[in-house]
Amino acid sequence: MFRTHTNGDLTLENLNENVTLAGWVQTIRDKGFMIWIDLRDRYGITQLVFDQDRSSVQLMEEAKKLGREFVIQVEGKVIERTSKNPKIPTGDIEILVENLKVLNESQLPPFTIEDETDGGEEIRMKYRYLDIRRNPVKDKLIFRHKMAQKVRNYLSQQDFIEVETPVLIKSTPEGARDFVVPSRMNPGQFYALPQSPQTFKQLLMVGGIDRYFQIVKCFRDEDLRADRQPEFTQIDCEMAFVEQEDVLEIFEGMTATLLKDITGKDTGKFPRMTYDEAMTRYGNDKPDIRFGMEFTELNDLVKGKDFKIFDDAELVVGINTEGCAAYTRKQIDALIDWVKRPQIGATGMVWVKYQDDGVLTSSVNKFYDEASLKQIAEKFNAKPGDLMLVLSGDAFQVRTQLSALRMELGNRLGLRKGDEFAPLWVVDFPLLEWDDETGRYHAMHHPFTSPKPEDIHLLQTDPGKARANAYDLVLNGNEIGGGSVRIFDKELQSRMFDLLGFTKEEAEAQFGFLMNAFKYGAPPHAGLAFGFDRLVAILDGNEVIRDYIAFPKNNSGRDVMIDAPSAIANEQLQELFLKLDGDH
């Protein structure tokens, strides 16, 4: 037996017991006549003591040869510490070591393996297996495990069945780019790694598995933004014989259960908001409703005053930052520079201050007198001490720009608190969006999303106005889950493919298996998928998903630890009938 206890177990209740422990040497404090060692494992730290008055000369010499991260096994007696450490569970005791065995030596690690490390992100990614020994990383992986357990327990109690779906599937051109896998047995043909098990879970509904879930790896070969991984994990779910309300009830229940487990509080009924309302009030379809700063539209007040920037704009809209009238000109100029960055793209920003003495002043005093500024302040429901910030331009662009500014101010003002949770359903998304470049419609979600029943007639007359029977679950300004009621009628599905520009032959080649399945009694069905990595991060008061993945990729999609992706041997390429040394 390598150990009788872990390094987080022992307390004064174990006093005078003979125990065997194993783990890694974290720190060594050598006073010559006495040596203390912190022994670490996944469960905690236990202090070991070697004492020249109570330990043999040979044992003291063996202890002096130990180094950081050596793997050792010790036998000894539990004794009471004279200098206790209340910060750790084992802080009242220490082990007077009687036998020491080195299981494996270690080189000096490239960074200190402690909660506060001296290792930068790149070096820690390269030696991720060492980084995992640190509590901040280890605890996040344990938290992820516990959340997965709770999800499985909740869904199992709701009669869901976990079913594995294939990882080697057929490539489709819709959505993000697929990762493709050449087939040696079928020269010139390729599998794709799934972006989602979408069609398979619909086939499971046809197969009578009326409640399915899977915690599943998905893959997207897309341009990486900050904190987005090429492989990610979904909680993938589908239900038969349900409508939208049934899906929302089940997964609101699951999310509320997770939130209560973490916060100890009931969240109550989740609020709901239509896509149009979210865009009007917050400028995006995943608003953070932990704080205000809702949009105020000003077209009716500011146009016709000879201020060309506003007169020429499709939309003039702003936010009220409460209590910020004391911002200096330098602080406001910094905000203006921030919105003018290429990532945001605004051409400028107008400000209006409602000073503590009740005086209103602005960056456009030349065009707007005191009475006009007062009307603007009233529209914002502003009070003395507030600062109003206004953007103008194309309606969609300016809402997007102002939304980014709102979120930035939320961060700067400390309004986006990791220990506060504000869930929200966003519903009634557009079904289709027009792409000028391709000259056709694209599905806002995916081609299998059903239009709202009352909007089906619009597919013939005005498809762009049709709303999707779709819903997203938003938490703290992040989309954590999304789904829709599916099309289960083959005629409606065929009409949708037509609208999306598929020829009959293309639709048959790519989705014929699904259309054929619909001929054999497909039930009404709907589903939803959670981004598990992001859900776990947010529930833990964080937004960096990489910290919750055991072996993540960097921002370039590379695994710097194993150096992947990498070239493969010519022999492998030849077996796969792929390009070889510049030849075909």
Side-chain angles (χ1 to χ4, degrees):
M1 181 182 291
F2 272 105
R3 57 189 180 186
T4 57
H5 300 78
T6 69
N7 288 311
D9 278 348
L10 299 170
T11 66
L12 287 173
E13 293 182 1
N14 303 101
L15 213 58
N16 296 320
E17 289 182 17
N18 291 311
V19 298
T20 303
L21 301 178
W24 289 265
V25 173
Q26 176 153 308
T27 58
I28 303 169
R29 298 181 295 283
D30 186 349
K31 296 295 185 183
F33 63 91
M34 192 171 281
I35 300 170
W36 291 274
I37 290 174
D38 284 344
L39 187 66
R40 182 192 67 242
D41 63 11
R42 172 187 140 192
Y43 305 93
I45 289 175
T46 302
Q47 180 167 285
L48 313 178
V49 60
F50 300 78
D51 179 357
Q52 69 179 17
D53 292 335
R54 294 175 287 181
S55 304
S56 68
V57 173
Q58 181 182 351
L59 186 59
M60 291 294 289
E61 289 302 314
E62 289 174 357
K64 288 178 182 290
K65 294 176 184 176
L66 296 175
R68 277 178 173 263
E69 301 307 313
F70 275 40
V71 185
I72 64 171
Q73 180 189 46
V74 297
E75 296 174 3
K77 181 179 284 188
V78 180
I79 62 175
E80 187 170 0
R81 282 175 69 160
T82 54
S83 178
K84 294 182 169 60
N85 181 356
K87 295 181 181 179
I88 58 174
T90 60
D92 290 335
I93 60 93
E94 60 189 2
I95 308 302
L96 179 60
V97 178
E98 297 168 356
N99 289 297
L100 165 66
K101 182 179 182 181
V102 176
L103 301 174
N104 216 331
E105 295 184 357
S106 172
Q107 293 183 13
L108 186 68
F111 53 88
T112 54
I113 301 175
E114 296 177 2
D115 290 3
E116 297 296 327
T117 182
D118 58 357
E121 186 172 315
E122 187 172 338
I123 193 76
R124 287 188 291 108
M125 288 276 281
K126 185 173 182 179
Y127 296 92
R128 182 66 167 177
Y129 45 87
L130 297 180
D131 203 26
I132 289 172
R133 295 180 189 173
R134 297 172 53 244
N135 285 328
V137 179
K138 176 203 69 180
D139 290 346
K140 286 178 171 60
L141 296 180
I142 293 172
F143 182 80
R144 178 190 178 105
H145 157 72
K146 290 178 178 178
M147 290 302 104
Q149 274 190 316
K150 292 177 189 302
V151 166
R152 282 194 165 96
N153 290 340
Y154 176 88
L155 292 174
S156 297
Q157 289 166 8
Q158 298 291 330
D159 293 329
F160 283 78
I161 298 171
E162 187 164 13
V163 181
E164 292 184 356
T165 53
V167 174
L168 295 175
I169 65 169
K170 183 183 183 72
S171 182
T172 61
E174 284 293 309
R177 292 184 182 89
D178 291 326
F179 280 102
V180 294
V181 181
S183 171
R184 182 182 62 83
M185 301 292 288
N186 301 276
Q189 296 186 317
F190 296 80
Y191 298 105
L193 301 181
Q195 297 181 35
S196 158
Q198 180 62 44
T199 53
F200 289 101
K201 64 181 179 179
Q202 291 191 251
L203 291 171
L204 286 170
M205 298 303 103
V206 178
I209 306 296
D210 66 340
R211 291 194 171 194
Y212 141 93
F213 85 98
Q214 185 180 188
I215 299 181
V216 59
K217 277 282 190 182
C218 300
F219 308 85
R220 289 180 186 167
D221 187 11
E222 58 187 354
D223 295 335
L224 296 175
R225 299 200 298 267
D227 205 37
R228 175 174 283 184
Q229 294 282 304
E231 55 178 306
F232 56 96
T233 304
Q234 282 187 182
I235 309 168
D236 198 60
C237 308
E238 198 79 6
M239 305 166 68
F241 302 110
V242 292
E243 296 175 331
Q244 175 177 298
E245 196 60 37
D246 302 299
V247 179
L248 268 55
E249 182 180 343
I250 287 285
F251 293 104
E252 182 169 318
M254 187 186 87
T255 309
T257 298
L258 296 176
L259 286 170
K260 184 173 183 181
D261 183 79
I262 291 162
T263 65
K265 301 174 189 172
D266 286 314
T267 51
K269 197 72 178 165
F270 292 5
R272 297 184 188 183
M273 190 179 298
T274 67
Y275 169 86
D276 287 343
E277 184 184 358
M279 294 301 293
T280 300
R281 290 172 60 184
Y282 297 100
N284 72 49
D285 56 7
K286 48 182 184 295
D288 188 339
I289 59 171
R290 284 175 294 180
F291 63 103
M293 290 193 217
E294 291 191 24
F295 288 11
T296 297
E297 297 187 5
L298 301 169
N299 282 23
D300 58 334
L301 290 181
V302 300
K303 286 181 176 283
K305 304 283 188 178
D306 294 327
F307 184 47
K308 185 174 174 56
I309 292 172
F310 283 176
D311 288 345
D312 292 347
E314 182 183 2
L315 177 66
V316 183
V317 62
I319 53 176
N320 181 28
T321 53
E322 295 183 3
C324 292
Y327 269 29
T328 63
R329 184 59 189 267
K330 184 178 180 180
Q331 287 175 296
I332 293 175
D333 285 346
L335 284 177
I336 293 171
D337 289 340
W338 191 88
V339 298
K340 290 169 75 172
R341 295 181 313 147
Q343 301 95 310
I344 308 300
T347 55
M349 183 175 72
V350 168
W351 55 265
V352 180
K353 280 187 180 182
Y354 201 155
Q355 298 181 134
D356 287 332
D357 59 7
V359 174
L360 284 155
T361 184
S362 77
S363 56
V364 286
N365 279 345
K366 179 180 176 182
F367 301 96
Y368 298 92
D369 58 20
E370 179 84 11
S372 298
L373 294 177
K374 188 173 183 183
Q375 286 183 313
I376 291 171
E378 288 172 353
K379 189 77 179 279
F380 275 107
N381 290 320
K383 59 186 183 301
D386 291 350
L387 172 67
M388 291 149 274
L389 304 173
V390 182
L391 299 179
S392 61
D394 170 79
F396 181 80
Q397 286 184 336
V398 79
R399 284 193 177 107
T400 302
Q401 293 160 358
L402 190 61
S403 174
L405 176 61
R406 175 181 178 270
M407 294 292 273
E408 176 66 14
L409 286 165
N411 287 328
R412 292 189 186 191
L413 297 172
L415 302 174
R416 305 188 69 210
K417 298 173 182 174
D419 59 352
E420 291 181 3
F421 299 97
L424 167 74
W425 286 109
V426 178
V427 298
D428 295 357
F429 285 81
L431 180 68
L432 304 165
E433 50 188 348
W434 182 259
D435 183 359
D436 287 327
E437 192 174 319
T438 59
R440 63 183 180 92
Y441 285 109
H442 288 267
M444 187 89 165
H445 281 67
H446 54 61
F448 315 109
T449 296
S450 175
K452 294 189 79 69
E454 60 270 30
D455 288 359
I456 289 177
H457 69 281
L458 292 172
L459 299 184
Q460 301 285 8
T461 56
D462 197 354
K465 288 189 177 178
R467 293 167 300 162
N469 213 342
Y471 32 84
D472 279 359
L473 183 55
V474 176
L475 184 61
N476 295 0
N478 294 271
E479 177 200 333
I480 59 168
S484 65
V485 175
R486 320 303 189 191
I487 297 170
F488 68 98
D489 174 76
K490 64 181 185 298
E491 298 301 327
L492 182 56
Q493 186 65 74
S494 181
R495 196 184 316 167
M496 180 63 72
F497 287 145
D498 290 342
L499 276 171
L500 296 173
F502 287 88
T503 65
K504 297 294 183 190
E505 293 74 23
E506 288 170 338
E508 176 63 30
Q510 291 177 37
F511 304 111
F513 64 93
L514 185 65
M515 300 294 279
N516 285 335
F518 284 0
K519 296 174 183 177
Y520 295 97
H525 56 286
L528 180 144
F530 285 85
F532 184 57
D533 310 298
R534 190 165 302 285
L535 173 65
V536 169
I538 295 169
L539 290 175
D540 202 29
N542 206 329
E543 291 189 7
V544 182
I545 67 172
R546 190 163 54 203
D547 293 346
Y548 297 83
I549 298 170
F551 299 102
K553 308 289 189 293
N554 68 12
N555 287 344
S556 300
R558 294 196 64 82
D559 186 325
V560 295
M561 184 181 66
I562 63 173
D563 192 25
S566 60
I568 62 174
N570 284 343
E571 291 78 8
Q572 289 175 282
L573 289 169
Q574 194 169 17
E575 280 186 334
L576 296 168
F577 302 93
L578 295 176
K579 191 167 85 168
L580 208 154
D581 281 342
D583 299 326
H584 292 276

